[in-house]
Amino acid sequence: MTDLFPADAVLENLFTGATWGEGPVWLPALRRLRWSDIPGNRILEYDDASGTTHVLRTDAGFSNGRTLDRQGRVVQCSHGRRAIERESHDGPRTLVDRWEHGRFNSPNDVVVARDGTIWFTDPPYGIHESGREGYPGRPEYGGCFVFRFDEASGAAAPVITDMVHPNGLAFSPDESVLYVADTGYLQVPGGPAVIRAYDVVDGAHCTHGRDLVAVRPGGTDGMRVDAEGRIWSSSADSVQVFTPAGERLAGLPVPEKVSNLCFGGDDGRTLYITASTSLYRIRTATTDARYADR
Ligand code: MG
């Protein structure tokens, strides 16, 4: 544990009051942690200077996962608009909401590669009849794929088509491997609760898909990769850390079901954790694989 967390690291609860928190991202310029309350249909921000949380936006398009692009702008998934969008001073702007065979289901989580392309997962959780995490709707292309969107060409293309319900995703530090969680177990009897790994070819294609590790309890939702290439995964009772080979290194117990996490803080070494109704944080001994890019 000592190479993952300082000896005096303590898990802190920063806020409780969300319905189902998701989509954390650290905003360096504002020194704030922004995240989604998906069923509450709002976006929240924790302000590091004041230690307080405020509502940034309501009627928020049932936003889910988010990240920063190469220019430090927020790119996020919207269940409600079935889109990938970018935040600007006058609100979110849709970047892409369909490919040649129809609209997306409900983009769930997103990463930006060093070449600026946007990679995201598209399970159906935001179009269910319940309307809990979006607006009821029909799937239009008959699958749940991982897509790569090239803003320069305006085209989105599937890069992974053999998963049940792709969810969280993250690149290895050199972007030679893409890790993607499959949460098929949530709705498909006997469905997968695994992190899969794919080799990335020419920065545009994924091959050699393989199950890396089955994560229990509760499976992996969101995840991040640290500067040493280790995978920091959500699960039902903890944050779990794995080697690139899928060997479990450690588990950090969390009092609520963990949905997602991200590194942040001024030195990038604080881990922020969205878990059910709350936002938590803890100091670590590492940082995000992408921290040096900032
Ligand atoms: Mg997710």
Side-chain angles (χ1 to χ4, degrees):
M1 293 283 278
T2 51
D3 58 339
L4 298 173
F5 302 97
D8 60 351
V10 176
L11 184 72
E12 299 174 82
N13 180 316
L14 301 176
F15 174 83
T16 294
T19 316
W20 174 246
E22 247 284 8
V25 73
W26 175 254
L27 308 177
L30 296 174
R31 302 183 65 229
R32 291 177 181 169
L33 191 287
R34 182 178 295 180
W35 82 104
S36 301
D37 176 0
I38 304 177
N41 198 11
R42 57 187 186 157
I43 298 172
L44 304 173
E45 278 187 349
Y46 170 79
D47 180 71
D48 193 53
S50 66
T52 61
T53 290
H54 61 271
V55 177
L56 177 72
R57 188 178 303 138
T58 56
D59 190 17
F62 292 96
S63 69
N64 191 343
R66 54 175 56 79
T67 191
L68 300 181
D69 69 11
R70 300 288 292 152
Q71 289 76 42
R73 301 169 296 188
V74 174
V75 172
Q76 69 192 14
C77 301
S78 169
H79 286 183
R81 290 181 277 271
R82 302 174 70 159
I84 298 297
E85 51 194 29
R86 177 185 287 129
E87 287 283 2
S88 65
H89 57 275
D90 53 1
R93 183 174 69 83
T94 293
L95 296 176
V96 63
D97 64 359
R98 66 189 65 230
W99 65 300
E100 60 187 90
H101 294 288
R103 284 196 297 166
F104 303 134
N105 301 313
S106 49
N108 187 289
D109 218 339
V110 59
V111 291
V112 175
R114 287 193 178 84
D115 67 0
T117 54
I118 297 170
W119 301 55
F120 60 95
T121 56
D122 191 35
Y125 302 126
I127 55 174
H128 279 165
E129 289 178 9
S130 70
R132 176 178 154 86
E133 296 196 1
Y135 302 110
R138 289 186 312 104
E140 295 194 4
Y141 64 85
C144 294
F145 298 165
V146 180
F147 288 93
R148 174 184 181 272
F149 172 60
D150 182 352
E151 195 173 2
S153 71
V159 288
I160 297 172
T161 60
D162 65 349
M163 297 181 70
V164 179
H165 288 162
N167 200 317
L169 75 174
F171 283 109
S172 64
D174 65 1
E175 297 188 351
S176 66
V177 177
L178 180 66
Y179 303 105
V180 188
D182 197 328
T183 43
Y185 76 98
L186 287 172
Q187 295 181 344
V188 179
V194 298
I195 297 174
R196 286 177 62 76
Y198 294 80
D199 294 337
V200 179
V201 179
D202 297 333
H205 304 282
C206 290
T207 64
H208 188 217
R210 63 273 187 192
D211 287 354
L212 189 73
V213 59
V215 178
R216 290 293 185 191
T220 296
D221 191 337
M223 65 176 127
R224 291 289 197 271
V225 170
D226 71 20
E228 287 76 32
R230 297 170 297 214
I231 303 160
W232 294 63
S233 166
S234 52
S235 75
D237 66 356
S238 57
V239 171
Q240 301 189 40
V241 186
F242 300 94
T243 69
E247 298 158 12
R248 189 175 183 278
L249 293 170
L252 170 73
V254 177
E256 299 175 81
K257 183 175 182 178
V258 178
S259 61
N260 211 332
L261 44 83
C262 72
F263 291 96
D266 290 339
D267 64 0
R269 291 174 171 262
T270 297
L271 188 71
Y272 287 86
I273 302 162
T274 51
S276 300
T277 67
S278 299
L279 178 71
Y280 296 86
R281 78 176 167 198
I282 187 169
R283 292 288 291 163
T284 76
T286 185
T287 186
D288 193 278
R290 310 302 299 276
Y291 182 75
D293 294 350
R294 292 206 318 223

